[in-house]
């Protein structure tokens, strides 16, 4: 009877554990990260009676969780990718909407400004049209400044996202390290039995780290999990967690960088970070935001430089030489806060068409300088003090120390500092400073046209310039124009071959000669005094809208801005498509994991019924054993 009682008792105890475990599963059906637990039954060792063995009941060998390591790792990787792409898409979409918005984008402002320039060209003597041109120029300046300010706001948000992500990663890393300690201790105390709920909690904490950065995990022999990020930086090793830190870039205080602290030193690991919110924020800043800010600055520099250059080639309504219309751009140089020398760097932009928008880092190693393009990686070395690259002249003065660094940003501040410096409508230089007139006695069809100003500093003319056609100007039988009033003549011109037009240059201006002159035909060039109705320079300024003056003479203002909008739109579309795809893959990965590890209420309900019936049967075993025992006692009672 005692054996029957023991067998029934073992069954009741084991089934109680099974029923409790099933109830635990049902209670946690909606708990995120919970893995279904299962009771493992095992027979107790049998006892030998003579030539046979009689069983002694059942025991619960273990309570395990339904866990698939590969499915869990797939969910973790998909989570990191999906969260990162969602973050990237959110930031890129806002950039895309900002650039394409007619109320905030630059395209309509450019159209409005050059439309007003054309209106001045149509009516150069009208002050109202000139006043409108200044107003539209201010709208353009405000749009540049507004876009740059919005870009800075987005950059500040990126910095905040980086700081929040790092703070969350550090907190979660501490949780994983603590859970590692609890899991190893609990496993040892239970004789090797797994602490399932602690294991689920640790997996969930690692998944939450994966939402912020891509991770790699390695399981130790004692059951602890090591967590690695970047290119192998150990975030969690056993019971210890390392801390990430954020700091300001010593060469750009507007940028937050990510530092890894280990072995008594800090290492910038931003370039190694990928995945999750942190990786997406860093990637967005480098591949979209930084590029957009450089392109916007390049456009602002190009507009200011080229428009100013053309404006200075004209004269205003009072006959005075044109000055700067927009504030001239200035390059930015930032010395590292760690510099020990007293060297300073001066930067001058000498070729606006050569600007690329790229930035440069100038480093001194104690013997020579290295100038490296931070975008392309191209580098040049030399003893200094001067370097020329991409339309920029760099000059170093003072005494540097080994390890000194300077960040050179030719166009970084151009959009924020873009402004209109001309104030009076009459100061708009719509007229050409030189005008021409053909002699009334000309008998041929000679023409002088398209007067252009190459060097405004050579004007005004000291005296009128006369060009007279002479069949022997350059020797017997060699025709050309004799020149008086300025150095540079005679000008070769053969009506037989040059009648369709040739370009000629005198001093700081040029023009086109054409037609078929007769001997003695002449033209007079003189200062354009009182040329209020002259619109030639206004037409030249209006033509800049479509002229290819940027990117080495390959792009106009509109082309450059359209390229900026297109680049951001492409990145946004790519991120949107990838995010949608990754969301589907994540759902599939979660579904596959849940099918293996999640709680199925129908299955748990069936288990409850099965365990209930087994429990009732085990109770019946005890009842029968008790009856038999009582019968035996009654039979032997005296």
């Amino acid at each position: 009877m005692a054996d029957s009682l023991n067998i029934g008792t073992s069954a009741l105890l084991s089934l109680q554990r099974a029923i409790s475990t099933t109830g635990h599963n049902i209670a946690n059906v909606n708990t995120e990260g919970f893995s279904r637990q299962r009771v493992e039954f095992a027979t107790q060792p049998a006892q030998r009676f003579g030539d046979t063995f009689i069983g002694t009941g059942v025991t619960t060998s273990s309570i395990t969780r339904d866990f698939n390591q590969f499915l869990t790792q797939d969910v973790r990787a998909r989570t990191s990718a999906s969260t990162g792409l969602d973050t990237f898409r959110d930031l890129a979409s806002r950039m895309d909407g900002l650039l394409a918005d007619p109320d905030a984008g630059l395209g309509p402002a450019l159209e409005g400004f050059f439309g007003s320039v054309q209106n001045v060209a149509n009516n150069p003597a009208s002050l109202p049209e000139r006043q409108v041109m200044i107003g539209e120029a201010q709208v353009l300046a405000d749009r540049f400044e507004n876009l740059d300010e919005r870009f800075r706001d987005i950059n500040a948000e990126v910095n905040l996202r980086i700081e929040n992500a790092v703070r969350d990663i550090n907190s979660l890393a501490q949780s994983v390290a603590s859970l590692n300690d609890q899991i190893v201790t609990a496993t040892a105390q239970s004789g090797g039995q797994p602490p399932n709920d602690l294991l689920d909690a640790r997996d969930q904490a690692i998944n939450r780290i994966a939402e912020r950065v891509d991770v790699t995990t390695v399981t130790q022999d004692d059951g602890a999990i090591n967590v690695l990020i970047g290119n192998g930086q150990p975030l969690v090793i056993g019971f210890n967690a390392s801390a990430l830190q954020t700091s300001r870039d010593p060469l750009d205080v507007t940028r937050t960088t990510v530092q890894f602290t280990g072995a008594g030193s800090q290492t910038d690991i931003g370039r190694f970070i990928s995945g999750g919110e942190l990786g997406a924020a860093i990637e967005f800043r480098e591949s979209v935001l930084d590029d957009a800010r450089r392109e916007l600055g390049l456009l602002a520099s190009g507009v200011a430089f080229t428009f100013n250059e053309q404006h200075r080639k004209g004269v205003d309504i009072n006959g005075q030489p044109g000055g700067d219309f927009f504030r001239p751009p200035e390059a930015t140089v930032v010395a590292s806060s760690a510099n020990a020398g007293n060297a300073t760097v001066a930067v001058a932009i000498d070729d606006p068409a050569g600007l690329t928008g790229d930035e440069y880092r100038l480093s001194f190693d104690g013997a020579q300088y290295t100038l490296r393009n931070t975008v392309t990686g191209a580098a040049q070395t030399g003893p200094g003090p001067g370097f020329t690259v991409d339309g920029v002249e760099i000059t170093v003065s003072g005494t540097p120390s080994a390890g000194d660094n300077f960040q050179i940003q030719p166009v970084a501040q151009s959009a924020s500092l873009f402004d209109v410096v001309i104030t009076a409508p009459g100061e708009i230089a719509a007229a050409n400073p030189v005008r021409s007139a053909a002699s009334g006695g000309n008998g041929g069809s000679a023409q002088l046209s398209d007067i252009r100003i190459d060097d405004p500093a050579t004007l005004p003319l000291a005296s009128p310039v006369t060009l007279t056609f002479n069949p022997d100007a350059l020797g017997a039988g060699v025709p050309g124009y004799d020149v008086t009033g300025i150095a540079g003549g005679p000008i070769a011109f053969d009506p037989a071959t040059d009648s369709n037009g040739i370009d000629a240059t005198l001093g700081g201006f040029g023009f086109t000669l054409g037609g078929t002159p007769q001997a003695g035909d002449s033209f007079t060039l003189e200062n354009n005094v009182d040329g209020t109705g002259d619109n030639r320079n206004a037409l030249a300024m209006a033509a800049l809208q479509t002229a290819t003056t940027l990117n080495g003479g390959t792009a106009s203002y509109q082309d450059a801005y359209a390229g900026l909008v297109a680049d951001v739109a492409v990145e946004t579309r790519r991120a949107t498509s990838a995010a949608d795809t990754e969301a589907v893959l994540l759902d599939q990965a979660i579904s596959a994991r849940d099918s293996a590890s999640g709680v199925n209420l129908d299955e748990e309900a069936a288990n409850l019924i099965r365990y209930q019936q087994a429990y009732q049967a085990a109770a019946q075993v005890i009842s029968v054993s008790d009856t038999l025992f009582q019968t035996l006692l009654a039979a032997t009672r005296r």
Side-chain angles (χ1 to χ4, degrees):
M1 290 353 122
D3 290 340
S4 297
L5 284 172
N6 288 336
I7 291 173
T9 300
S10 70
L12 287 176
L13 292 174
S14 296
L15 289 167
Q16 283 177 350
R17 294 188 182 98
I19 292 172
S20 296
T21 300
T22 302
H24 184 58
N25 288 342
I26 294 173
N28 286 280
V29 65
N30 294 316
T31 300
E32 185 178 2
F34 178 80
S35 298
R36 181 175 65 248
Q37 298 180 13
R38 186 187 305 276
V39 175
E40 302 292 342
F41 295 100
T43 58
Q44 295 192 112
Q47 292 183 355
R48 181 177 180 181
F49 285 90
D51 295 334
T52 187
F53 290 89
I54 297 178
T56 60
V58 66
T59 186
T60 52
S61 61
S62 179
I63 299 178
T64 61
R65 59 179 184 149
D66 287 336
F67 174 76
N68 187 304
Q69 178 181 358
F70 300 104
L71 294 178
T72 299
Q73 288 179 343
D74 187 37
V75 169
R76 189 173 294 154
R78 297 297 180 191
T79 297
S80 182
S82 181
T83 305
L85 287 168
D86 281 341
T87 300
F88 192 100
R89 174 176 58 183
D90 175 55
L91 292 169
S93 296
R94 289 164 56 191
M95 286 278 291
D96 185 35
L98 175 64
L99 292 171
D101 186 352
D103 295 327
L106 200 62
L110 281 169
E111 290 283 353
F113 172 64
F114 280 102
S116 69
V117 177
Q118 186 61 55
N119 289 337
V120 171
N122 293 339
N123 193 3
S126 173
L127 290 179
E129 275 80 356
R130 290 168 174 259
Q131 187 64 57
V132 170
M133 179 178 167
I134 294 177
E136 291 293 338
Q138 191 59 57
V139 170
L140 179 62
D142 292 343
R143 199 64 57 88
F144 268 118
E145 293 171 12
N146 179 64
L147 280 174
D148 185 78
E149 183 179 357
R150 296 289 295 276
F151 285 177
R152 291 177 186 275
D153 290 342
I154 294 175
N155 182 67
E157 180 183 340
V158 169
N159 289 338
L160 183 61
R161 285 177 180 261
I162 291 174
E163 291 167 0
N164 289 340
V166 166
R167 182 169 57 251
D168 291 344
I169 290 170
N170 288 339
S171 175
L172 291 167
Q174 290 288 346
S175 296
V176 172
S178 175
L179 287 166
N180 274 341
D181 187 10
Q182 296 176 53
I183 288 169
V184 171
T185 301
T187 302
Q189 291 174 347
S190 64
Q193 294 300 313
N196 297 311
D197 293 327
L198 289 176
L199 292 172
D200 283 342
R202 183 178 65 182
D203 287 340
Q204 188 64 12
I206 296 175
N207 285 344
R208 292 180 63 191
I209 294 177
E211 291 178 354
R212 290 154 180 84
V213 66
D214 193 20
V215 299
T216 301
T217 58
V218 179
T219 303
Q220 297 183 166
D221 293 339
D222 61 0
I225 287 183
N226 300 333
V227 181
L228 312 177
I229 63 172
N231 65 340
Q233 281 75 24
L235 183 64
V236 178
I237 297 294
F239 309 152
N240 299 312
S242 300
L244 299 180
Q245 291 186 350
T246 58
S247 63
R248 295 295 182 177
D249 190 323
L251 290 173
D252 187 351
V253 295
T254 67
R255 297 169 65 91
T256 296
T257 61
V258 181
Q259 311 286 327
F260 179 79
T261 304
S265 63
Q266 288 187 340
T267 304
D268 187 347
I269 63 170
R271 63 187 183 279
F272 304 126
I273 294 294
S274 63
E277 295 177 5
L278 179 58
I282 294 174
E283 181 187 2
F284 167 78
R285 181 173 65 188
E286 294 180 351
S287 64
V288 178
L289 180 58
D290 285 352
D291 285 349
R293 293 178 69 180
R294 284 193 294 265
E295 289 296 321
L296 183 67
L298 178 62
L299 178 57
S301 293
V303 171
F305 270 117
T306 55
F307 199 86
N308 284 351
E309 181 181 26
Q310 187 60 53
H311 190 259
R312 287 194 296 267
K313 293 179 179 180
V315 291
D316 64 18
I317 204 168
N318 298 314
Q320 298 300 310
D324 287 332
F325 191 92
F326 296 109
R327 178 177 178 175
E330 299 177 5
T332 301
V333 179
V334 180
S336 172
S337 57
N339 285 0
N342 62 3
T344 59
V345 176
V347 178
I349 300 174
D350 64 343
D351 181 15
L355 291 174
T356 63
D358 294 348
E359 298 179 357
Y360 311 87
R361 180 162 297 182
L362 184 66
S363 305
F364 185 68
D365 63 5
Q368 64 179 0
Y369 293 93
T370 297
L371 181 67
R372 184 176 303 277
N373 186 311
T374 61
V375 178
T376 66
Q380 56 177 293
T381 59
F387 294 89
T388 300
V389 60
D390 299 332
V392 177
E393 288 188 355
I394 302 168
T395 305
V396 184
S397 59
T399 305
S401 295
D404 283 1
N405 290 281
F406 300 86
Q407 186 78 3
I408 298 170
Q409 302 169 318
V411 300
Q413 303 293 325
S414 297
S416 63
L417 299 179
F418 191 92
D419 199 6
V420 182
V421 295
I422 197 169
T423 56
E427 294 177 353
I428 295 176
N432 193 304
V434 177
R435 61 188 178 191
S436 65
S439 172
N442 287 356
S445 60
Q447 298 175 352
L448 188 154
S449 59
D450 300 330
I451 299 175
R452 63 184 183 278
I453 307 303
D454 299 322
D455 184 5
T458 63
L459 300 175
L461 296 173
S463 61
V465 176
T466 302
L467 279 64
T468 304
F469 183 71
N470 180 358
D472 301 315
L474 285 86
V478 183
Y481 283 92
D482 292 326
V483 179
T484 60
I486 195 172
I491 300 173
F493 184 88
D494 187 350
T497 57
D498 299 334
S499 60
N500 288 331
I502 64 167
D503 289 332
T505 301
L506 288 174
F509 64 97
F511 44 87
T512 299
L513 291 170
T516 305
Q518 293 183 1
D521 285 358
S522 64
F523 298 93
T524 300
L525 296 164
E526 59 184 358
N527 294 322
N528 190 13
V529 180
D530 195 26
T532 56
D534 189 347
N535 68 348
R536 286 175 293 163
N537 200 51
L539 289 173
M541 290 188 291
L544 289 174
Q545 181 180 12
T546 56
T548 53
T549 56
L550 305 181
N551 297 337
T554 63
S556 66
Y557 303 151
Q558 293 287 9
D559 292 337
Y561 186 69
L564 167 59
V565 174
D567 288 343
V568 174
V570 168
E571 287 294 331
T572 303
R573 177 56 185 160
R574 179 189 65 81
T576 299
S577 177
D580 291 342
T581 300
E582 199 61 48
V584 173
L585 296 176
L586 175 60
D587 288 342
Q588 293 175 350
I590 292 174
S591 178
R593 182 199 62 184
D594 289 349
S595 67
S597 303
V599 176
N600 185 313
L601 290 178
D602 292 337
E603 181 180 349
E604 300 302 326
N607 286 338
L608 274 180
I609 294 173
R610 182 161 59 92
Y611 295 148
Q612 179 188 16
Q613 292 173 344
Y615 191 88
Q616 291 172 344
Q620 188 64 28
V621 170
I622 293 177
S623 177
V624 170
S625 297
D626 179 65
T627 300
L628 291 175
F629 186 67
Q630 295 301 326
T631 300
L632 180 60
L633 289 177
T636 58
R637 184 176 298 140
R638 296 289 187 267

